[in-house]
Amino acid sequence: MQTVGIIAEYNPFHKGHAYQIEEAKKAANADFAVIAMSGNFVQRGAPAIIDKYTRTKMALEGGADLVLELPVPFATAAAPIFASAGVSLLTRLGCVDALCFGSESGNIDSLITAAHTLQEEPPEYKVLLQRFLKEGNSYPKSVQLAMNSMGNLLTASPNDTLGVEYIKALLASGSTMKPFAVKREGNDYHDTKLSLGFASASAIRSQIECESASSISSLSAFLPETSFSLMEKAFSHTFPITEDDFSLALGMIINAGQMTNGMDLLHAAEMTPELYDRIQRILCTGQAFTFSELAQNLKTKNITRARINRALLHCLLSISQDDMELFRASDFCLYARILGFKSNASSLLKAVKNNANIPIITKLADAKNKLDETGNKILSHELASSFLYRQAVWCKFHETLPDEFRAGIVII
């Protein structure tokens, strides 16, 4: 039995994702695909547009065999942590043979070379990186420029960048999973306009936010039939959810100057002194703001919007830098929580049960006794963030999503 792993958000699940799962199984000669999927909040520092259980069902209908939850501290982290945690989760299952990811270039050899350079950080690379940083470039752009100067034509495209981080994580952890890259087809990752072929998740989200309050009909050509049906049913009932649906909660946290855990905002994960000072200056103006307005006003040339969004989201979710250091020292994922699986994947579930070296969570009520203190802390962040997401859904639509203890595992 061969199994391929994919680390994903599926925000939302579209035809390009179904294509990747199909191609991943072919490339790895795999019988099953295991997905480590972000929950209700995602890596760009925002809520998922539709809840994790609906996205789990989309993924299973679209070719996935088992969907596990990537815990929120890691799902909302910068690329190196996001990648390392995803690799940690899949590796610790003990039965995943390959890791497959989308790539703009599709050149796995080039990505592996780049990963080795970034992992080893030779003196030439360090000098070039500092030079480009001092010129005012963002960190991702500086990495790209340094690599290009050394003759490795690393693109700044999101999937290639994340692919390099996956390979770095494989190298650092000693994982035996073999990396495969599936060339991305259709829209670029950041494209916000729909076009023929595979539309990007960004374009789909943008279209949803621009649609009338009664229809998402224009998306039917870009989504698998099941995904479209689920989204059409949920539209204006439990989705779409955006960052601005958390504006009030964020405003209260920012104005109070501390997270709900009592820690100063300066200690939030990915917060910097520069960013903190800019927040204080905006507060002094007395101006009200939405989540997106605040993030945009904080943006500078050398701080990306995604980094700002993540820092603000970590303030909102009370995820501190100390938390992240603790979780990193514990090798990130200390449990595997099953969100859903296919009923015909019994041999895969048996392999996970027999080979995993971390607890497998199927019932939240049993989790506390299965996990150590750090594992329970990770899970507590998940439960708190999901409660906040449910509150946002209720406040916007007056519809209630099942709570974490009643939602149940999705089985198709």
Side-chain angles (χ1 to χ4, degrees):
M1 183 184 80
Q2 291 291 304
T3 303
V4 64
I6 297 173
I7 303 165
E9 294 182 334
Y10 297 152
N11 186 34
F13 189 92
H14 55 68
K15 287 184 177 179
H17 294 134
Y19 169 80
Q20 186 204 5
I21 293 175
E22 181 182 5
E23 291 301 306
K25 285 182 174 180
K26 289 179 182 177
N29 194 27
D31 306 289
F32 297 106
V34 178
I35 315 300
M37 189 187 80
S38 303
N40 285 330
F41 293 89
V42 296
Q43 203 252 337
R44 63 191 183 95
I49 197 167
I50 191 166
D51 73 275
K52 61 188 176 184
Y53 296 106
T54 303
R55 287 167 28 244
T56 294
K57 188 169 185 179
M58 292 177 184
L60 294 172
E61 294 283 3
D65 299 288
L66 172 64
V67 180
L68 306 173
E69 183 169 54
L70 185 64
V72 68
F74 317 129
T76 61
I81 293 177
F82 177 89
S84 294
V87 167
S88 168
L89 176 55
L90 293 174
T91 299
R92 288 182 163 200
L93 297 181
C95 60
V96 180
D97 305 288
L99 176 67
C100 190
F101 49 85
S103 162
E104 285 83 2
S105 69
N107 189 334
I108 189 65
D109 291 334
S110 178
L111 297 176
I112 290 173
T113 299
H116 276 285
T117 300
L118 294 176
Q119 189 82 356
E120 297 160 7
E121 292 193 323
E124 180 187 2
Y125 168 76
K126 289 182 178 180
V127 170
L128 288 167
L129 177 64
Q130 289 305 313
R131 188 183 99 194
F132 291 121
L133 284 170
K134 288 177 181 178
E135 290 176 1
N137 295 290
S138 67
Y139 183 80
K141 183 64 175 178
S142 297
V143 169
Q144 179 209 358
L145 292 171
M147 293 295 291
N148 290 352
S149 296
M150 294 175 64
N152 188 307
L153 299 181
L154 179 66
T155 70
S157 51
N159 286 286
D160 275 3
T161 300
L162 194 53
V164 170
E165 293 297 338
Y166 290 142
I167 298 168
K168 283 173 58 183
L170 292 172
L171 294 171
S173 65
S175 174
T176 59
M177 291 191 296
K178 182 179 179 180
F180 290 90
V182 172
K183 185 170 173 53
R184 183 184 179 90
E185 303 288 346
N187 277 156
D188 287 341
Y189 182 90
H190 288 305
D191 278 352
T192 57
K193 292 184 178 180
L194 298 173
S195 62
L196 294 176
F198 296 136
S200 70
S202 297
I204 292 170
R205 290 194 302 270
S206 179
Q207 185 71 13
I208 290 170
E209 292 169 10
C210 293
E211 286 275 2
S212 67
S214 60
S215 175
I216 58 167
S217 59
S218 63
L219 297 177
S220 61
F222 304 98
L223 300 170
E225 185 176 343
T226 301
S227 292
F228 179 73
S229 177
L230 288 167
M231 291 175 70
E232 189 175 42
K233 182 179 179 180
F235 188 66
S236 294
H237 292 285
T238 60
F239 112 99
I241 296 296
T242 72
E243 60 196 34
D244 284 342
D245 293 316
F246 297 85
S247 297
L248 178 59
L250 178 66
M252 293 178 67
I253 293 291
I254 295 296
N255 189 61
Q258 60 181 220
M259 296 178 279
T260 56
N261 60 10
M263 296 183 72
D264 190 280
L265 299 182
L266 186 57
H267 299 293
E270 297 198 54
M271 183 64 72
T272 66
E274 177 189 355
L275 189 54
Y276 179 81
D277 288 343
R278 289 178 63 80
I279 291 173
Q280 300 311 307
R281 288 197 293 272
I282 289 175
L283 281 177
C284 288
T285 68
Q287 181 180 351
F289 48 78
T290 65
F291 192 123
S292 58
E293 287 169 347
L294 177 59
Q296 189 60 35
N297 287 336
L298 291 170
K299 191 177 183 306
T300 65
K301 182 180 178 181
N302 61 344
I303 305 179
T304 65
R305 173 66 185 273
R307 169 68 181 269
I308 292 167
N309 262 52
R310 287 194 297 269
L312 294 177
L313 183 60
H314 291 150
C315 290
L316 183 64
L317 301 181
S318 294
I319 299 174
S320 70
Q321 188 58 44
D322 288 347
D323 287 338
M324 297 304 289
E325 290 301 325
L326 173 65
F327 302 153
R328 185 200 299 270
S330 301
D331 196 20
F332 303 106
C333 292
L334 298 180
Y335 61 84
R337 182 185 178 196
I338 295 179
L339 293 179
F341 61 86
K342 281 184 177 171
S343 57
N344 63 0
S346 57
S347 59
L348 172 61
L349 294 172
K350 183 178 180 180
V352 168
K353 180 180 178 181
N354 291 339
N355 294 286
N357 62 11
I358 51 176
I360 306 300
I361 305 300
T362 55
K363 292 183 179 179
L364 276 180
D366 300 333
K368 184 175 182 180
N369 294 328
K370 287 185 174 183
L371 304 180
D372 63 13
E373 183 178 357
T374 303
N376 271 298
K377 188 165 189 175
I378 295 171
L379 183 60
S380 71
H381 278 302
E382 194 61 57
L383 298 179
S385 68
S386 291
F387 174 80
L388 187 63
Y389 191 93
R390 289 178 63 246
Q391 285 293 102
V393 169
W394 171 256
C395 290
K396 187 171 187 177
F397 300 112
H398 288 278
E399 295 276 357
T400 303
L401 290 174
D403 71 28
E404 291 293 84
F405 288 89
R406 294 178 177 84
I409 293 175
V410 178
I411 305 174
I412 67 167

